[in-house]
Structure formats: C-alpha cells, structure tokens
Amino acid sequence: MQKIGILGGGQLGKMLLQSAANYPVETYLMESDLECPAAHLCHHFVKGDIRNFNDVYDFGKELNAITIEIESVNEEALEKLEAEGVKVYPRPAALKIIKNKILQKQYYKDNQIPTADFVVTKTNNELNNHLSFLPAVHKLGVGGYDGRGVEIIKTAEDLPRAFNEPSVLEKMVVIQKEISQIIAINASGEVALYPPVDMVFDKHLNLLEYQISPADIPEKALWKIEAISLAVVKGLKSPGIFAVELFIDNKDEVYVNETAPRVHNSGHHTIEANYSSQFDMLWRIMLGYPLGNTEHILPAAIVNLIGGDGHSGEARYEGLHEVLQMDNVFVHIYGKKQTRPGRKMGHVTVLSKEKRELEYKANRIKNTLSVKV
Ligand code: ADP
C-alpha cells in the first residue's frame, strides 16, 4: 500500500483524509498541534513543524508521496525529498514560484498571462516613486494569508500602511467579479476543470464569505477564464490540484489574481455538489488512478463559518439545530477548539438547482449560524 503524507492538519487536511478513507492508502500527517482538526483521521500522526527542514525531511523520507495543505512549508526539504524519489504534490519548483507573490507575478508576466500591472518594492519609502501608479494594492511577497499582507493604497495618504519588506504594488482592478477556477492535472498532463466559482468577499475582514458554483459569467469572459487558468497550471509543470483566482473587470477582461497549488476553500462544495470532489481528485492523482468527473450534480453555495468579532476562547456553535433542519444543507464543523475573530471554523454547503434558493438559504444560514464563546 502506498504511504502518503500531508503537511498541515487544518480543515483542508481533515477533508483530504475523509476522502482518503475510500482508497487503498496509508496516511501520514505532520502538524505541531496535537488537537488539530485532521489529527484523529490519519493512520500515523507525527508531531513536527512543517516549516522546519529536518522535521519535513524526516517525515517524508520513508513515504511514496507527500502533499501540503498550506504553502508555508519548508520547500528545501521538499526539494531534497523530490531529488531522492519521493513524489511531491505540488512540485517544489511550482511551490517556490507561488509562495512568493513577487515571483508569482513575474511568472505570469514572463508567460504572457494577463495579470494586473505591478512594480516590485523593497521598502515602504519606495512607494513615493510610484505615486502615479495609485490607486494600487500593496502585497507582501511572503507570509501574507487570508487578507493579512494586503493593503489598499488609494492615495499618498495611505502610504503609512505600506509594507517595509519586499512586496508587489499592483494596479487596482475595477472588479466586477472574483472567480475561482479549480483545475486538476495528473502526471501525464491530463487536465480536468471544475465549474468556475463566484466568490464574494467580506470587505471588512477581507475573508471569503459566500460563494456560488457554477458562477454566472459573462459569455465573453468564460473562455478567457478557462484559457488563462490552463496556461497558469500547464506552465507550472506540476501535477496536483490548483485553484486559480481571477478578476473579471468592468470591461469583461480577465486577470489572474493569484494561484493556490493545493485544495482550496473555494472548492469545498465539490464534496457534495460534484461527482468527484477536489479532495477525491487529489487522491486519484497521487495514487495514479484516472481523473474523476468534475461536473456538478447540482449547483451549490458555500457559506463560511467564521469566528465572530469579539469572541476569543472555547468555541460554541449557535443556530446549529436550526441549520441542520434545513433541506439539502450540509454542515462541516472543523473541530477547532478555540475560536478567534476571523478564524475559519467551518462551512455549510447548500445544494439546489434554483439560484434564488441557494442565495436565500445561504443568507438564512449566515443570519442563523454563528461561532461564539
Ligand atoms: P490573499 O492572498 O490574502 O487572499 P489577495 O491577493 O487574494 O490576498 O487579495 C485579497 C483581496 O484583495 C482580493 O480578493 C481582492 O478583493 C482584493 N484585491 C487584491 N488585488 C487586487 C487588485 N489588483 N485590484 C483590486 N482589488 C484587489
């Protein structure tokens, strides 16, 4: 039986392990937190730091393959493991490009993939040389996550918020829609595209709050989304699951925002809504089985369950009974003991062939279910 390891034991690791239970595979998990969401679902738990070279190398060296649920892993250890014959999903060379927003933007530019114009900055002072570039978005090269590491710089007055570390200053796009395109690609280069997802953001927390798949996309933009996402993924030359996040602007032009080289929050609905979920698909790829069917069984909405403002401590779920009474609604509580404002604590998927019903139920769930202490 193949031995496959996952770096990181959060909700993505958890859902990946839920899917692994259907396949002949022995699962390994490395995470520093013994009480992480995925800990009790793997065959072998290893306590370790996914950012530490020795921890990652020692964890991976006896495995057939290894994957990640977060980008902030020790990529040097993954490179060594790959050189020694361990299959790594995504390949370390692809991870290296994506991990650093400067390299990632440069990759799009070098490959003629449409993305918002940008300049690279090393210090916050340098932004004074680019005032004509405003309004813009300043993004930290490494270490940003879930909206931390992104600052909107509209005018010179916003300059104090700029980062004093290597970053990209990116032209502000007039966003009509934010779309996520999840793509599966296997070792032979065969691809399968999931229906695109419409992502709606909470502007206050900068966290995804609501999404619908398939997305309602202007005809003119649809083929661009497909072509651009395929170009992004093919150029990275790595098997795996990729989520390409794109903007459609007010002229129906399409730009890549960023890419995640792993299973993604915008694909959680595929567990119930699509024949082969993104998690199922990654096992198929890693175990060398045929790609699954990405078509949807029914359209879906996802509501993210985020730790409420002003609530830090042991989590309590309010409104769960009511939501569990709703038809065609699937609740996923990740099992994190502690809640914090903005922390991803769970999600709820709604299925319906009526878009209005999806929106109605998603709103009802948002207004009913909350995480408190
Ligand atoms: P993160 O890696 O934290 O998800 P993103 O790069 O996706 O950060 O940016 C977070 C959000 O900021 C995006 O979803 C989008 O709403 C907004 N944003 C990012 N870049 C731009 C841009 N060039 N123009 C307009 N809005 C942007």
Side-chain angles (χ1 to χ4, degrees):
M1 197 140 61
Q2 289 208 52
K3 297 177 176 177
I4 300 192
I6 303 169
L7 294 177
Q11 64 270 17
L12 294 169
K14 175 178 182 173
M15 288 181 269
L16 202 49
L17 286 166
Q18 285 174 327
S19 279
N22 295 328
Y23 288 105
V25 60
E26 198 174 335
T27 55
Y28 291 73
L29 178 76
M30 191 166 82
E31 161 71 53
S32 56
D33 175 7
L34 291 155
E35 293 186 338
C36 67
H40 61 292
L41 290 172
C42 57
H43 294 116
H44 307 276
F45 182 88
V46 177
K47 190 175 182 325
D49 181 354
I50 60 174
R51 289 162 304 186
N52 178 281
F53 181 92
N54 290 328
D55 285 4
V56 173
Y57 179 70
D58 290 342
F59 173 71
K61 65 182 191 239
E62 304 297 334
L63 300 175
N64 299 102
I66 191 164
T67 190
I68 60 168
E69 64 137 34
I70 187 166
E71 284 86 335
S72 57
V73 293
N74 189 292
E75 80 201 30
E76 290 78 19
L78 292 178
E79 272 168 8
K80 186 166 161 65
L81 288 167
E82 183 180 54
E84 292 174 6
V86 179
K87 297 262 191 298
V88 184
Y89 302 89
R91 296 192 59 194
L95 179 63
K96 197 171 187 163
I97 294 170
I98 287 175
K99 242 175 113 168
N100 184 325
K101 284 195 173 173
I102 300 171
L103 297 180
Q104 196 182 139
K105 289 289 282 187
Q106 199 58 47
Y107 164 77
Y108 300 139
K109 196 173 168 186
D110 294 346
N111 289 276
Q112 289 87 45
I113 292 165
T115 191
D117 278 347
F118 67 100
V119 288
V120 175
T121 59
K122 294 210 170 62
T123 64
N124 51 3
N125 262 336
E126 273 179 44
L127 270 79
N128 287 305
N129 307 333
H130 302 294
L131 292 179
S132 62
F133 208 72
L134 306 184
V137 182
H138 205 209
K139 299 183 181 181
L140 209 50
V142 282
Y145 194 64
D146 275 350
R148 291 183 299 252
V150 175
E151 288 291 346
I152 310 253
I153 311 287
K154 282 197 177 140
T155 64
E157 275 174 31
D158 299 323
L159 288 182
R161 290 210 309 268
F163 301 110
N164 197 20
E165 287 166 68
S167 301
V168 288
L169 184 69
E170 193 179 291
K171 276 258 192 234
M172 180 95 95
V173 175
V174 182
I175 298 175
Q176 180 193 147
K177 262 179 197 295
E178 294 196 42
I179 299 292
S180 168
Q181 173 66 65
I182 297 183
I183 300 190
I185 177 161
N186 67 15
S188 332
E190 290 168 328
V191 294
L193 284 86
Y194 283 89
V197 178
D198 220 321
M199 308 197 290
V200 182
F201 283 84
D202 177 333
K203 289 292 170 206
H204 165 60
L205 277 176
N206 226 344
L207 261 184
L208 190 65
E209 69 159 28
Y210 185 99
Q211 52 203 14
I212 291 206
S213 174
D216 197 3
I217 293 172
E219 191 93 31
K220 252 172 69 187
L222 196 58
W223 71 268
K224 291 181 195 161
I225 288 173
E226 242 186 73
I228 292 171
S229 309
L230 276 172
V232 170
V233 170
K234 291 213 157 166
L236 288 170
K237 298 188 174 60
S238 164
I241 297 281
F242 293 84
V244 183
E245 293 182 34
L246 309 117
F247 299 134
I248 306 179
D249 77 358
N250 54 348
K251 299 188 187 96
D252 291 349
E253 289 303 333
V254 179
Y255 302 92
V256 176
N257 174 27
E258 59 174 353
T259 302
R262 53 168 170 77
V263 286
H264 193 248
N265 189 283
S266 63
H268 290 347
H269 63 288
T270 60
I271 294 173
E272 290 91 4
N274 297 65
Y275 291 96
S276 173
S277 75
Q278 60 169 346
F279 304 101
D280 176 72
M281 191 71 98
L282 185 56
W283 289 111
R284 285 167 172 265
I285 293 168
M286 294 194 294
L287 294 165
Y289 295 130
L291 291 176
N293 180 356
T294 53
E295 274 174 57
H296 68 256
I297 302 166
L298 276 178
I302 304 179
V303 178
N304 287 294
L305 183 55
I306 307 291
D309 267 347
H311 290 266
S312 291
E314 197 151 326
R316 196 170 54 77
Y317 301 90
E318 214 171 81
L320 202 48
H321 275 76
E322 208 177 323
V323 169
L324 285 166
Q325 270 170 1
M326 294 166 71
D327 287 335
N328 299 335
V329 163
F330 302 85
V331 174
H332 295 254
I333 300 292
Y334 300 148
K336 298 176 185 175
K337 284 225 166 106
Q338 303 288 321
T339 184
R340 285 192 303 272
R343 192 171 194 202
K344 289 177 183 156
M345 300 299 287
H347 76 266
V348 183
T349 300
V350 186
L351 300 187
S352 171
K353 50 184 189 301
E354 302 296 336
K355 188 165 181 209
R356 263 198 297 187
E357 191 186 1
L358 288 179
E359 287 170 346
Y360 170 76
K361 281 193 178 158
N363 275 315
R364 223 184 110 196
I365 293 162
K366 276 199 86 65
N367 294 330
T368 309
L369 187 58
S370 59
V371 199
K372 300 200 165 139
V373 292

